[in-house]
Amino acid sequence: MNEQELNNAISNPRNLGEMTDADAVGTVGSPECGDMVRMWLKFTEKDGQKVIDRASFQSFGCQTAIAVASMATEMLKGRTVAEARLLSAAEMSTPLGPLPPMKIHCGQMVEGALKAALEAGAPAAAAPATTAIPARLGHLAESLGEAAAPKPGKLKVVFE
Ligand code: FES
């Protein structure tokens, strides 16, 4: 794993925070480590296709999950929903290099949050670009409950 890329992403995570005007949100939690990642998506239309205009994330997770989420949200801008659906955890973490076996699930959490958001924002291939916005795209900390307490040795992301 490329430690310099990891440190760069951790020291300056991109697109971190709740997106209040999002069109879709997806959340995943890992039963393995107790970490959670939430991703928000904002869509727009380009050349008659629904594309991702912006993506943001929140994470109570390890540094690898935060780094991958940061990179993924940058990578997603301008992609169609179909293209985003094909993005794998390995592709999203490419700048970090191959993840060690115990960190593979960290990237998969980000992929899971993306897929959940895509499912929420475009449940059918023919769904219109104006898919209904969920009534409440809540703050990740609200759904973490007990899990919101930082774990020893884990990075705590402070929400603004
Ligand atoms: Fe669980 Fe990285 S997300 S250790």
Coordinates of all heavy atoms in Angstrom, one line a residue, residues 4-17 19 36-41 52 54-77 79 87 89 91-96 106-107 109-111 113-114 155 157:
Q4 N 2.3 7.1 1.3 CA 2.3 8.6 1.0 C 0.9 9.0 0.5 O 0.4 10.0 1.0 CB 3.4 9.0 0.0 CG 3.6 10.5 -0.1 CD 4.7 10.9 -1.0 OE1 5.5 10.0 -1.4 NE2 4.7 12.1 -1.4
E5 N 0.4 8.2 -0.4 CA -1.0 8.5 -0.9 C -2.0 8.4 0.2 O -2.9 9.3 0.3 CB -1.4 7.5 -2.0 CG -0.8 7.8 -3.3 CD -1.3 9.1 -4.0 OE1 -2.4 9.6 -3.6 OE2 -0.7 9.6 -5.0
L6 N -1.8 7.5 1.1 CA -2.7 7.3 2.3 C -2.6 8.5 3.2 O -3.7 9.1 3.5 CB -2.3 6.0 3.0 CG -3.2 5.8 4.3 CD1 -4.6 5.4 3.9 CD2 -2.6 4.6 5.1
N7 N -1.4 8.9 3.5 CA -1.2 10.1 4.3 C -1.8 11.4 3.7 O -2.4 12.2 4.4 CB 0.2 10.3 4.7 CG 0.7 9.1 5.6 OD1 -0.1 8.6 6.4 ND2 2.0 8.8 5.6
N8 N -1.6 11.5 2.4 CA -2.1 12.7 1.7 C -3.7 12.7 1.8 O -4.2 13.8 2.1 CB -1.7 12.7 0.2 CG -0.3 13.0 0.0 OD1 0.4 13.5 0.9 ND2 0.2 12.7 -1.2
A9 N -4.3 11.6 1.6 CA -5.7 11.5 1.6 C -6.3 11.7 3.0 O -7.3 12.4 3.2 CB -6.2 10.2 1.1
I10 N -5.6 11.3 4.0 CA -6.0 11.4 5.4 C -5.8 12.8 5.9 O -6.7 13.4 6.6 CB -5.2 10.5 6.3 CG1 -5.5 9.0 6.0 CG2 -5.5 10.7 7.8 CD1 -6.9 8.6 6.1
S11 N -4.7 13.5 5.5 CA -4.5 14.8 6.0 C -5.4 15.8 5.3 O -5.6 16.9 5.8 CB -3.0 15.2 5.8 OG -2.6 15.1 4.5
N12 N -5.9 15.5 4.1 CA -6.7 16.4 3.4 C -7.8 15.7 2.7 O -7.9 15.6 1.4 CB -5.9 17.2 2.4 CG -6.7 18.3 1.6 OD1 -7.7 18.8 2.2 ND2 -6.3 18.6 0.4
P13 N -8.7 15.0 3.4 CA -9.8 14.3 2.8 C -10.7 15.2 2.0 O -11.1 16.3 2.4 CB -10.6 13.6 4.0 CG -10.2 14.4 5.2 CD -8.9 15.1 4.9
R14 N -11.1 14.7 0.8 CA -11.9 15.5 -0.1 C -13.4 15.1 0.1 O -13.7 14.0 0.3 CB -11.5 15.2 -1.6 CG -10.0 15.3 -1.8 CD -9.4 16.7 -1.6 NE -10.1 17.7 -2.5 CZ -9.6 18.0 -3.7 NH1 -8.5 17.4 -4.2 NH2 -10.2 18.9 -4.5
N15 N -14.2 16.1 -0.1 CA -15.7 15.8 -0.1 C -16.2 15.2 1.2 O -17.0 14.3 1.2 CB -16.0 15.0 -1.3 CG -15.5 15.5 -2.6 OD1 -15.7 16.7 -2.9 ND2 -14.7 14.7 -3.3
L16 N -15.6 15.6 2.3 CA -16.0 15.1 3.6 C -17.2 15.9 4.2 O -17.1 17.1 4.2 CB -14.8 15.1 4.6 CG -15.0 14.7 6.0 CD1 -15.4 13.2 6.0 CD2 -13.8 14.9 6.8
G17 N -18.2 15.2 4.5 CA -19.3 15.9 5.2 C -20.7 15.6 4.6 O -20.8 15.1 3.4
M19 N -24.1 16.0 2.8 CA -24.6 16.8 1.6 C -26.1 17.1 1.8 O -26.9 16.1 1.7 CB -24.3 16.1 0.3 CG -24.6 17.0 -0.9 SD -24.6 16.0 -2.5 CE -22.9 15.5 -2.5
M36 N -18.4 2.4 9.9 CA -19.5 2.7 9.0 C -19.1 3.8 8.0 O -18.2 4.6 8.3 CB -20.7 3.3 9.8 CG -21.4 2.2 10.7 SD -22.9 2.9 11.5 CE -24.0 2.9 10.1
V37 N -19.7 3.7 6.9 CA -19.4 4.7 5.8 C -20.8 5.1 5.2 O -21.6 4.2 5.0 CB -18.5 4.2 4.7 CG1 -18.4 5.2 3.5 CG2 -17.1 3.8 5.2
R38 N -21.0 6.4 5.1 CA -22.2 6.9 4.4 C -21.7 7.8 3.2 O -20.8 8.5 3.4 CB -23.0 7.7 5.4 CG -24.3 8.3 4.7 CD -25.2 8.8 5.8 NE -25.9 7.7 6.5 CZ -26.7 7.8 7.5 NH1 -26.9 9.0 8.0 NH2 -27.2 6.8 8.1
M39 N -22.4 7.6 2.1 CA -22.1 8.4 0.9 C -23.3 9.1 0.4 O -24.4 8.5 0.3 CB -21.5 7.5 -0.2 CG -20.9 8.3 -1.3 SD -20.1 7.3 -2.6 CE -18.6 6.9 -1.7
W40 N -23.2 10.3 0.0 CA -24.3 11.1 -0.6 C -23.9 11.4 -2.0 O -22.8 11.6 -2.4 CB -24.4 12.5 0.1 CG -25.0 12.5 1.5 CD1 -26.3 12.6 1.8 CD2 -24.3 12.3 2.7 NE1 -26.5 12.6 3.2 CE2 -25.3 12.4 3.8 CE3 -23.0 12.1 3.1 CZ2 -24.9 12.2 5.1 CZ3 -22.6 11.9 4.4 CH2 -23.6 12.0 5.4
L41 N -25.0 11.4 -2.9 CA -24.8 11.7 -4.3 C -25.7 12.8 -4.7 O -26.9 12.8 -4.3 CB -25.1 10.4 -5.1 CG -24.2 9.2 -4.9 CD1 -24.7 8.0 -5.7 CD2 -22.7 9.5 -5.2
I52 N -23.3 11.8 -12.1 CA -23.1 12.2 -10.8 C -22.4 13.6 -10.8 O -21.3 13.7 -11.5 CB -22.2 11.2 -10.0 CG1 -23.0 9.9 -9.9 CG2 -21.7 11.7 -8.7 CD1 -22.2 8.7 -9.3
R54 N -21.9 15.5 -7.9 CA -21.1 15.6 -6.7 C -21.3 14.4 -5.8 O -22.4 13.8 -5.9 CB -21.4 16.8 -5.8 CG -21.1 18.2 -6.4 CD -21.6 19.3 -5.6 NE -23.0 19.6 -5.7 CZ -23.9 19.6 -4.7 NH1 -23.5 19.5 -3.5 NH2 -25.1 19.9 -4.9
A55 N -20.3 14.0 -5.0 CA -20.4 13.0 -4.0 C -19.7 13.4 -2.8 O -18.7 14.1 -2.8 CB -19.8 11.7 -4.6
S56 N -20.2 13.0 -1.6 CA -19.5 13.3 -0.4 C -19.7 12.1 0.5 O -20.5 11.2 0.3 CB -20.1 14.6 0.3 OG -21.4 14.4 0.8
F57 N -19.0 12.1 1.6 CA -19.0 11.0 2.5 C -18.8 11.4 4.0 O -18.2 12.5 4.3 CB -18.0 9.9 2.1 CG -16.6 10.3 2.5 CD1 -16.0 9.8 3.7 CD2 -15.8 11.2 1.8 CE1 -14.7 10.1 4.1 CE2 -14.5 11.6 2.2 CZ -14.0 11.0 3.3
Q58 N -19.2 10.5 4.9 CA -18.8 10.6 6.3 C -18.4 9.2 6.7 O -18.9 8.2 6.1 CB -20.0 11.0 7.2 CG -20.3 12.5 7.0 CD -21.5 12.9 8.0 OE1 -22.3 12.1 8.3 NE2 -21.5 14.1 8.3
S59 N -17.5 9.1 7.6 CA -17.0 7.8 8.0 C -16.6 7.8 9.4 O -15.9 8.7 9.9 CB -15.8 7.4 7.1 OG -15.2 6.2 7.6
F60 N -17.1 6.8 10.1 CA -16.4 6.4 11.4 C -15.7 5.1 11.1 O -16.3 4.0 11.1 CB -17.5 6.2 12.5 CG -17.7 7.4 13.3 CD1 -18.8 8.3 12.9 CD2 -16.9 7.8 14.3 CE1 -19.0 9.4 13.6 CE2 -17.1 8.9 15.1 CZ -18.2 9.8 14.7
G61 N -14.5 5.3 10.6 CA -13.8 4.1 10.1 C -12.3 4.3 10.2 O -11.9 5.3 10.7
C62 N -11.6 3.4 9.7 CA -10.2 3.4 9.8 C -9.7 4.4 8.7 O -10.4 4.9 7.8 CB -9.6 2.1 9.5 SG -9.8 1.5 7.8
Q63 N -8.4 4.7 8.7 CA -7.8 5.6 7.8 C -8.0 5.2 6.3 O -8.2 6.0 5.4 CB -6.4 5.9 8.1 CG -6.2 6.5 9.5 CD -4.7 6.8 9.8 OE1 -3.8 6.3 9.2 NE2 -4.5 7.7 10.7
T64 N -7.9 3.9 6.1 CA -8.0 3.3 4.8 C -9.4 3.6 4.2 O -9.5 4.0 3.0 CB -7.7 1.8 4.7 OG1 -6.4 1.6 5.3 CG2 -7.7 1.3 3.3
A65 N -10.4 3.4 5.0 CA -11.8 3.6 4.5 C -12.0 5.1 4.2 O -12.6 5.5 3.1 CB -12.8 3.2 5.5
I66 N -11.4 6.0 5.0 CA -11.5 7.4 4.7 C -10.8 7.8 3.5 O -11.3 8.6 2.6 CB -11.0 8.2 6.0 CG1 -12.0 8.0 7.1 CG2 -10.9 9.7 5.6 CD1 -11.4 8.4 8.5
A67 N -9.6 7.3 3.3 CA -8.8 7.6 2.1 C -9.5 7.1 0.8 O -9.6 7.8 -0.2 CB -7.4 6.9 2.2
V68 N -10.0 5.9 0.9 CA -10.7 5.3 -0.3 C -12.0 6.1 -0.6 O -12.2 6.5 -1.8 CB -11.0 3.8 -0.1 CG1 -11.8 3.3 -1.3 CG2 -9.8 3.0 0.0
A69 N -12.7 6.5 0.4 CA -13.9 7.3 0.2 C -13.6 8.6 -0.4 O -14.3 9.1 -1.3 CB -14.7 7.4 1.6
S70 N -12.5 9.2 0.1 CA -12.1 10.5 -0.4 C -11.8 10.4 -1.9 O -12.2 11.2 -2.7 CB -10.9 11.0 0.4 OG -10.3 12.1 -0.2
M71 N -11.0 9.4 -2.3 CA -10.6 9.2 -3.7 C -11.9 8.9 -4.5 O -12.0 9.3 -5.6 CB -9.6 8.1 -3.8 CG -8.3 8.5 -3.2 SD -7.2 7.1 -3.0 CE -5.8 7.9 -2.3
A72 N -12.7 8.0 -4.0 CA -13.9 7.6 -4.7 C -14.8 8.8 -5.0 O -15.3 8.9 -6.2 CB -14.7 6.6 -3.9
T73 N -15.0 9.7 -4.1 CA -15.9 10.8 -4.3 C -15.4 11.8 -5.4 O -16.1 12.4 -6.1 CB -16.2 11.6 -3.0 OG1 -15.0 12.0 -2.4 CG2 -17.1 10.8 -2.0
E74 N -14.1 11.8 -5.5 CA -13.5 12.6 -6.6 C -13.6 11.9 -7.9 O -14.0 12.5 -9.0 CB -12.0 12.8 -6.3 CG -11.6 13.8 -5.3 CD -12.0 15.2 -5.8 OE1 -11.3 15.7 -6.7 OE2 -13.0 15.8 -5.3
M75 N -13.4 10.6 -7.9 CA -13.5 9.7 -9.1 C -14.9 9.7 -9.7 O -15.1 9.5 -10.9 CB -13.1 8.3 -8.6 CG -12.3 7.5 -9.6 SD -11.9 6.0 -8.7 CE -10.3 6.4 -8.1
L76 N -15.9 9.9 -8.9 CA -17.3 9.7 -9.3 C -17.9 10.9 -10.1 O -18.8 10.7 -10.9 CB -18.2 9.5 -8.1 CG -18.1 8.1 -7.4 CD1 -18.8 8.1 -6.0 CD2 -18.7 7.1 -8.3
K77 N -17.2 12.1 -9.9 CA -17.8 13.3 -10.6 C -17.8 13.1 -12.1 O -16.8 12.7 -12.7 CB -16.9 14.5 -10.3 CG -17.0 14.9 -8.8 CD -16.1 16.1 -8.5 CE -16.1 16.4 -7.0 NZ -15.0 17.3 -6.7
R79 N -19.4 10.8 -13.8 CA -19.7 9.4 -14.2 C -21.2 9.2 -14.3 O -22.0 9.7 -13.5 CB -19.1 8.4 -13.3 CG -17.6 8.5 -13.2 CD -17.0 7.1 -12.9 NE -15.6 7.3 -12.8 CZ -14.7 6.4 -13.1 NH1 -15.1 5.3 -13.7 NH2 -13.4 6.6 -12.9
L87 N -17.9 0.6 -10.8 CA -16.7 0.9 -10.1 C -16.5 -0.1 -8.9 O -17.4 -0.3 -8.1 CB -16.8 2.3 -9.5 CG -16.1 3.4 -10.3 CD1 -16.2 4.7 -9.5 CD2 -14.7 3.1 -10.6
A89 N -14.2 -1.7 -5.6 CA -13.4 -1.2 -4.5 C -11.9 -1.1 -4.9 O -11.2 -0.2 -4.6 CB -13.5 -2.1 -3.3
E91 N -10.8 -0.5 -7.9 CA -10.6 0.7 -8.8 C -10.6 1.9 -7.9 O -9.8 2.8 -8.2 CB -11.7 0.7 -9.8 CG -11.5 -0.3 -10.9 CD -12.7 -0.4 -11.8 OE1 -13.8 -0.8 -11.3 OE2 -12.6 -0.2 -13.0
M92 N -11.5 2.0 -7.0 CA -11.5 3.2 -6.2 C -10.3 3.4 -5.3 O -10.0 4.5 -4.9 CB -12.8 3.2 -5.3 CG -14.1 3.3 -6.1 SD -15.5 3.5 -5.1 CE -16.0 1.8 -4.9
S93 N -9.6 2.4 -5.0 CA -8.4 2.5 -4.1 C -7.1 2.4 -4.9 O -6.1 2.3 -4.3 CB -8.5 1.4 -3.0 OG -8.5 0.1 -3.6
T94 N -7.2 2.5 -6.2 CA -6.0 2.3 -7.1 C -4.9 3.2 -6.7 O -3.7 2.8 -6.6 CB -6.4 2.6 -8.6 OG1 -7.3 1.6 -9.0 CG2 -5.2 2.6 -9.5
P95 N -5.1 4.5 -6.4 CA -4.0 5.4 -6.0 C -3.2 4.9 -4.7 O -2.1 5.2 -4.5 CB -4.6 6.7 -5.7 CG -5.9 6.7 -6.5 CD -6.4 5.3 -6.4
L96 N -3.9 4.1 -3.9 CA -3.3 3.5 -2.7 C -2.4 2.3 -3.0 O -1.7 1.8 -2.1 CB -4.3 3.2 -1.6 CG -5.1 4.3 -1.1 CD1 -6.2 3.8 -0.1 CD2 -4.2 5.3 -0.4
C106 N -12.2 -2.5 3.9 CA -12.3 -1.0 4.1 C -12.8 -0.4 2.7 O -13.7 0.4 2.7 CB -11.0 -0.4 4.5 SG -10.2 -1.3 5.9
G107 N -12.1 -0.9 1.6 CA -12.5 -0.4 0.3 C -13.9 -0.9 -0.1 O -14.7 -0.2 -0.7
M109 N -16.3 -1.4 1.9 CA -17.3 -0.6 2.6 C -17.7 0.6 1.8 O -18.9 1.0 1.7 CB -16.8 -0.1 3.9 CG -16.5 -1.2 4.9 SD -17.7 -1.1 6.3 CE -17.4 0.5 7.0
V110 N -16.7 1.2 1.2 CA -16.9 2.4 0.3 C -17.7 2.0 -0.9 O -18.7 2.7 -1.3 CB -15.6 3.1 -0.1 CG1 -15.9 4.3 -1.0 CG2 -14.8 3.5 1.2
E111 N -17.4 0.9 -1.5 CA -18.1 0.4 -2.6 C -19.6 0.1 -2.2 O -20.5 0.4 -3.0 CB -17.5 -0.9 -3.2 CG -18.2 -1.4 -4.4 CD -17.6 -2.8 -4.9 OE1 -16.5 -3.1 -4.6 OE2 -18.4 -3.5 -5.6
A113 N -21.3 1.5 0.2 CA -22.0 2.8 0.4 C -22.4 3.4 -0.9 O -23.5 3.9 -1.1 CB -21.2 3.7 1.2
L114 N -21.5 3.3 -1.9 CA -21.8 3.9 -3.2 C -23.0 3.1 -3.9 O -23.9 3.7 -4.4 CB -20.6 3.8 -4.1 CG -20.8 4.0 -5.6 CD1 -21.3 5.5 -5.9 CD2 -19.5 3.8 -6.4
L155 N -9.1 6.5 13.8 CA -9.2 8.0 13.6 C -10.6 8.4 13.8 O -11.5 7.7 13.2 CB -8.8 8.3 12.1 CG -9.0 9.7 11.7 CD1 -7.9 10.6 12.3 CD2 -8.8 9.8 10.1
V157 N -13.4 11.0 12.9 CA -13.7 12.1 12.0 C -14.7 13.0 12.7 O -15.7 12.6 13.2 CB -14.3 11.6 10.7 CG1 -14.7 12.7 9.8 CG2 -13.3 10.7 10.0

